[in-house]
Amino acid sequence: MSDETAWQARPHRRLNALTGEWILVSPQRTQRPWQGETTAAREHERKPGYDPTCYLCPGNSRAGGARNPNYTQTFVFDNDYAALARDTPPAAIDDDGLLVAQSESGICRVVCFTPRHDLSIARMPAAEIRGVIDAWAQQYTELGAQPGINSVIVFENHGEQMGASNPHPHAQIWANASIPNEPAKEQAAATAYLETRGTCVLCAYLARELAAQERIVHRNEHAVVLVPFWAIWPFETLVVPRVHATALDRVTPQARDGLAAAMRVLTAAYDRVFDVAFPYSMGFHQRPTDGLPHDEWHVHAHYYPPLLRSATVRKYMVGYEMLGMPQRDITPESAAERLRALCATIEH
Ligand SMILES: [Zn+2]
Ligand SMILES: [Zn+2]
Ligand SMILES: [Zn+2]
């Protein structure tokens, strides 16, 4: 190992260029014995294509008595258990900067990917995933055009370990008035980068990673999957369209096809890491829908899978991570190497 890369084998911290936050990397700890949770792997259950008790399957009734149509592709509806409400009356308190609160208006929706109860992005044809991306883009435009909606976040909780209450393949969309913490941090960092260096931070970062190759997991003509230099979760990835676009509405049809293909390869590779349906939370960051151009934004998806060393050993964000900063053991480079090898085994 050369002196230039020796630092990578020793404890170090890395800057997240998208948020401005630091993470701790401890590569020497990878071999430490595990004494935590080792619950037995759940047998990969064979799910039916239609489940009469599922509130997302076509033709079934939901809470409150609404009945799903016999949909054949994607299906979008207002969440029956919404975390936000439209037309929340404005209210605010600020007691010397100590007790500060504001009312928040918003809309929550559910996007079913397919009528098939037993599928997942990993097992859907790329053409159907493209249809899901089109539905997300359409929802982004529709919700973003509503008065008082400035942020639209599309996300999927996949698998019981991530708290998904229903295995039917679906995403959620939360659209609200204020910019939430995570995109707000990214917006501040991207704006600062654009102002000081005159370029989009993600365009610049992508070019750097494509040249280095070390953390690239998969790529096609239109999209790149990589383990970011600053990844926190063991097999965390970033999926980025190659051509600059501030949100999904500006991503061309060809690039949406490329994005769909990359998402299919990545999720299929995830399912092979520990030979189990790989749990994750994923979602898109896009420009705010406040009507401003926001050229500092470059649309991207984050995948945050919790599994660490087996189908049952997951990473927890506890202790020093709650009190100090996030920390990881296996390096982003070794995680990328493993995912890259698995992506190469997926037909595409
Ligand atoms: Zn279902
Ligand atoms: Zn860009
Ligand atoms: Zn982001």
Side-chain angles (χ1 to χ4, degrees), residues 54 57 117 168:
C54 169
C57 273
H117 186 81
H168 195 111

Side-chain angles (χ1 to χ4, degrees), residues 199-206 240-246 295-299:
T199 180
C200 159
V201 63
L202 209 39
C203 280
Y205 177 64
L206 200 53
V240 193
R242 292 172 88 139
V243 173
H244 184 83
T246 54
D295 206 43
E296 73 277 11
W297 274 97
H298 186 138
V299 59

